[in-house]
Amino acid sequence: MSWVKVAESLDEVPFGTNQLAEVLAGDKKVCIGRHKGELFAFAAKCPHASGFFADGFIDPLGNVVCPLHRYKFCMKNGRNVSGEGYYLKHWPVEVREDGVYVGLEAKSFFGLF
């Protein structure tokens, strides 16, 4: 795993009022969600129709909801909880003294999907 710095501090993560932010991890766009004091990193686009999660919302149970068709995904494990059978790529997030980091697989970080 390669830890990639996405912000100098948590205050620099551009969260909207929906508690979602899109950031760059290297050359990869990643969405970060904040719910009940926890941070989650996952793919910026929905695996169904490529809706941008940063334009969606987080439901009361902590699922990110795509703005296009309202498909819901658990931010902790990437599982589709609304029943369509898709899977959302997700990664660990760490807030350290020197910044906010997302842990990507080495192959994702180097663009070798």
Side-chain angles (χ1 to χ4, degrees), residues 57-108:
F57 64 95
I58 298 171
D59 74 9
L61 298 175
N63 300 305
V64 65
V65 182
C66 177
L68 294 182
H69 300 108
R70 306 286 190 232
Y71 287 18
K72 295 180 182 185
F73 298 86
C74 176
M75 293 190 292
K76 283 186 179 185
N77 62 27
R79 294 214 168 100
N80 175 230
V81 297
S82 48
E84 294 82 16
Y86 291 92
Y87 177 77
L88 181 63
K89 286 190 138 225
H90 64 287
W91 305 277
V93 182
E94 286 187 1
V95 178
R96 302 176 185 171
E97 278 188 30
D98 66 332
V100 180
Y101 290 80
V102 173
L104 300 178
E105 309 91 24
K107 62 181 179 179
S108 291

Side-chain angles (χ1 to χ4, degrees), residues 8-90:
E8 294 295 322
S9 70
L10 191 55
D11 291 335
E12 286 191 6
V13 177
F15 288 108
T17 56
N18 60 0
Q19 298 303 301
L20 295 166
E22 190 172 279
V23 297
L24 276 177
D27 62 352
K28 181 180 195 59
K29 287 185 181 180
V30 173
C31 192
I32 295 182
R34 180 169 52 186
H35 182 71
K36 294 186 177 182
E38 288 189 73
L39 295 176
F40 306 92
F42 45 90
K45 292 182 183 181
C46 180
H48 168 246
S50 297
F52 288 98
F53 282 114
D55 295 334
F57 64 95
I58 298 171
D59 74 9
L61 298 175
N63 300 305
V64 65
V65 182
C66 177
L68 294 182
H69 300 108
R70 306 286 190 232
Y71 287 18
K72 295 180 182 185
F73 298 86
C74 176
M75 293 190 292
K76 283 186 179 185
N77 62 27
R79 294 214 168 100
N80 175 230
V81 297
S82 48
E84 294 82 16
Y86 291 92
Y87 177 77
L88 181 63
K89 286 190 138 225
H90 64 287

